Amino acid sequence: QAQLVESGGGLVQPGGSLRLSCVASGITFSAYVMSWYRQGPTKEREMVAAMDSVGRIRKYADSVKGRFTISRDNAMNTVFLQMNNLKPEDTAVYFCKANYRGEKEYWGQGTQVTVSL
């Protein structure tokens, strides 16, 4: 059974950093495109960053370019999201998603990130 478990969220001051992790089990991790999404208060869920299965291609939302970095370790079945220079508008629940050729899709339960003084 596929399972994605996020961790690393928390409360941080503006300008601070957090590193999110998402560990996958029950899937052939190296075959999946991995993405991070977020959903803020009263907002729709949006894609933040995505990486192809071998880690060559990265995509970012314009709002996080230059501040967030997605990476993955296929040996550890883990995808990371390094978030620097965090802003209050980054406050959201962050989810990871695994997608296989548009045929299979799995989501984690989310981890809360709060950026506030």
Side-chain angles (χ1 to χ4, degrees):
Q1 183 176 355
Q3 187 175 22
L4 303 178
V5 180
E6 301 98 333
S7 62
L11 174 64
V12 64
Q13 292 185 353
S17 298
L18 283 174
R19 189 191 196 205
L20 306 183
S21 300
C22 172
V23 180
S25 59
I27 62 173
T28 304
F29 181 79
S30 60
Y32 282 71
V33 171
M34 297 301 298
S35 306
W36 286 96
Y37 282 70
R38 68 185 180 187
Q39 187 164 15
T42 71
K43 295 182 180 179
E44 293 186 357
R45 191 172 295 191
E46 63 172 348
M47 192 278 289
V48 174
M51 174 174 273
D52 72 324
S53 60
V54 295
R56 280 198 298 260
I57 300 173
R58 295 180 174 91
K59 292 178 60 178
Y60 296 96
D62 288 343
S63 58
V64 307
K65 282 181 182 176
R67 299 188 298 122
F68 290 12
T69 302
I70 187 171
S71 61
R72 65 190 294 162
D73 185 333
N74 285 349
M76 294 178 60
N77 289 358
T78 303
V79 61
F80 304 97
L81 185 67
Q82 177 66 44
M83 306 186 295
N84 298 327
N85 190 21
L86 283 159
K87 304 176 180 180
E89 52 263 41
D90 295 319
T91 295
V93 178
Y94 284 72
F95 302 88
C96 68
K97 184 182 82 170
N99 182 282
Y100 177 73
R101 299 183 179 182
E103 301 170 1
K104 299 178 183 179
E105 185 176 283
Y106 304 102
W107 291 85
Q109 83 290 346
T111 185
Q112 175 70 47
V113 171
T114 302
V115 185
S116 179
L117 291 171

